[in-house]
Structures are given as structure tokens and as C-alpha cells.
Amino acid sequence: MFKVSARSFSASASNAYKVAVLGAGGGIGQPLSLLLKLNHKVTDLALYDLKGAPGVAADVSHVPTNSTVKGYNPDSLEQALSGSDVIVIPAGVPRKPGMTRDDLFNTNASIVRDLAKAAADYAPNASLCIISNPVNSTVPIVAEVLKSKGVYNPKKLFGVTTLDVLRASRFASEVAGTNPVNEKITVVGGHSGVTIVPLLSQTNHKSLDAETRDALVHRIQFGGDEVVQAKDGAGSATLSMAQAGARFAGSVLDGLAGETDVVEPSFVDSPLFKDEGVDFFSSKVTLGPEGAEKIHGLGELSDYEEGLIKKAKETLVGNIKKGVDFVKQNP
Ligand code: NAD
Ligand code: LMR
């Protein structure tokens, strides 16, 4: 039978895309795969993990949406990746109580580096959405690998910070007694502690008293710790992260499909603070057929937010350098 691949459609901005999930057998990967199966733009879902992906694929494949789902083991990473339009990477270890995201670096850096090499070889035009922590360092790792392979397209590399955006909506709504669905809070910077900066002054929450504001900002910055502590050694956020990852990947697909006004904050190769040595920074990004079409500035900030951004940049410089140095020393 004549078969037209999903890839051949994507160049002309259609609604048929191949999405690969690397780490699909994990706590994030499984629900993320389910949510992607529910996205009608995904016509070919490739689920890859060191173990367990064929089982997840068989399970998810019974959901009656118009897509094929296939599971891949390490002997077939090339097939999993070939022709992918979007690759989502939640592979790697999660935190336990008492750990920072940076404590995951030693394990996750090489996992992400090796998956980035494979993506460069087998799907050099794909949009890459990096979930694996520490995002502030894993995104620069992927960039360095892609550069070394001569296929780096900064418009198609994204650190997924959407969970911070979801938390900001949720937590602010709890403080203000509003419906979180109606909250639109931009979160910028990076994805860990003080690098997470919600821009409350640009919302209806600009008049919070200082104590309430500080507590809310702190909760958004350290929301991940709440889940790590509650899971008590069994990992970190998986279900809310799956929702965040599916939303972000869905927005990337909406952009590829030529939809207009698709805007999400994301940790990207950014011009905003490059002159200060901060090569990657999260801010609102307009997503389009070529990936990141426009990186938005931060808009007007309060003095308080200027202070938060200063602290975020100080930490980001080191996080980014750590990722870049890792690839230089461990190519
Ligand atoms: P998990 O341990 O439940 O799952 C990770 C999966 O990755 C496992 O199935 C494992 O087999 C797989 N894996 C490991 N090495 C691999 C490789 N080389 N190739 C393919 N698969 C591989 O962990 P999780 O809870 O799903 O978290 C995954 C990562 O996501 C962690 O690093 C965590 O810190 C991060 N995370 C990020 C965010 C964010 O906002 N960006 C949010 C939550 C978690
Ligand atoms: C999160 O924000 O929930 C994730 O980055 C996982 C973690 O380690 O907190």
C-alpha cells in the first residue's frame, strides 16, 4: 500500500507529525506518552527507553486516536528517532529528598549527551524538548553536542520550564481565590530555585503585600521540593510534569503547523543577556513553523523583580558553563 510518511507532511505545515519520547518508560514518560497519544497532531508516536517502552507502547496504542504507537529498545534508537519532528527527553534520574537538581548532573549529563548525539545523527531537523534535570545545564549540553555535529539550530532547542508556569498559576490562584484556568503568569530565568522568576508585577497580583508576595514567589521557585518531599524518596513530579510536557510539545506542534500566536516561556539560546555571559535564558517565545520565531523581552519589571533576575543570572552563568565544560571535557 502507498504510504506517505508524517515527515513529508510536516515541511508543508500539516497536522501529521512524528513525536519521539526518550525515557518513555519512566514516571514522566508514561503519562506524557498517554497525553501525546491524545494530541491529534501526533500521528506517529515513538516510545524509547532502556527498558519497558514496548509495554508502554502496547498499552497506550489501544487509545483510539488516529496515530500509530511503537515501542523501541536500545537496539533500535535509530528507528525511534528517524523522521521525528519533535523529540521530548525526560530520560534520567529524578531527585530524592535533600538533593538539588544540580546533584543529578553527574548521572544525567552523560545520558542527555548520548541521546543528543543520536538525535543529531538520526533526526537533525527535529525540535528537541529537554525535560531531564538539571535543565539549566542539560540544555547547554545538547547545544554543544549539536554544534560538534554541525547541526545546531538554536531555534529548535527548548528547555521545558512549563511546570513552573503551571505552578505559578495554581499557587497564585490559591492566594488570590481565583480560578487558575484564568491565570496567565509569565515565568522567566531558568528551572531551579532562585533562577525561577515569576513576573507577578505584570499580572493582577501586582499589589500583594510584600510578605504574601515573597511567600508566593518562594513557593513557585521551590515547588518541586514539595513533591520530592511528599514522594519521600520515590522521585519527583511526574504527573504534573507530564501535563506540562504535553502542553509544551503540543505548542511546538501548533507552531510547526503554522498556527499563530503560539507563545510559551522556554529556556532557549537567548540574546537577552548574552552580553553578560548568560547564553541561555527562559522568556516568552513565539513558536512557529521554524521553531522559536521570536524571543520576547521581559517587559517592565518591578525593582523587586530586577533583584530576582540579577540573582537568577548569577546562578545561570555557572549552571550553563558546567554543561558546556562537561561536553568539552567529555565529548
Ligand atoms: P524516572 O526514573 O521515573 O524515569 C526516567 C526514565 O529514563 C527511566 O524509565 C529510565 O529507564 C530512563 N532512562 C535512563 N537513561 C536512559 C537512556 N540513556 N535512554 C533512554 N531512557 C533512559 O524519572 P522521572 O520522574 O520520569 O524524571 C525524569 C527526569 O525529568 C529527571 O531528571 C527529573 O529530574 C526531570 N524532571 C524535570 C522536570 C522539569 O520541569 N523540567 C520536572 C520533573 C522531572
Ligand atoms: C520539578 O520542578 O518538579 C522538577 O524539576 C523535578 C524536581 O527535581 O523538582
Side-chain angles (χ1 to χ4, degrees), residues 59-93:
D59 192 349
V60 166
S61 74
H62 291 189
V63 174
T65 49
N66 192 22
S67 49
T68 55
V69 187
K70 197 159 173 222
Y72 297 88
N73 286 317
D75 58 357
S76 51
L77 179 55
E78 177 175 354
Q79 292 90 320
L81 290 171
S82 293
S84 293
D85 298 287
V86 176
I87 300 170
V88 191
I89 308 186
V93 294

Side-chain angles (χ1 to χ4, degrees), residues 104-119:
L104 303 171
F105 186 93
N106 288 343
T107 310
N108 289 351
S110 56
I111 292 173
V112 172
R113 176 199 59 198
D114 294 347
L115 292 173
K117 283 183 188 173

Side-chain angles (χ1 to χ4, degrees), residues 25-28 48-50 90-94 108 131 133 160 191 237-238 241:
I28 296 167
Y48 172 83
D49 203 303
L50 297 180
V93 294
N108 289 351
I131 293 173
N133 269 319
V160 182
H191 178 66
T238 54
M241 182 59 230

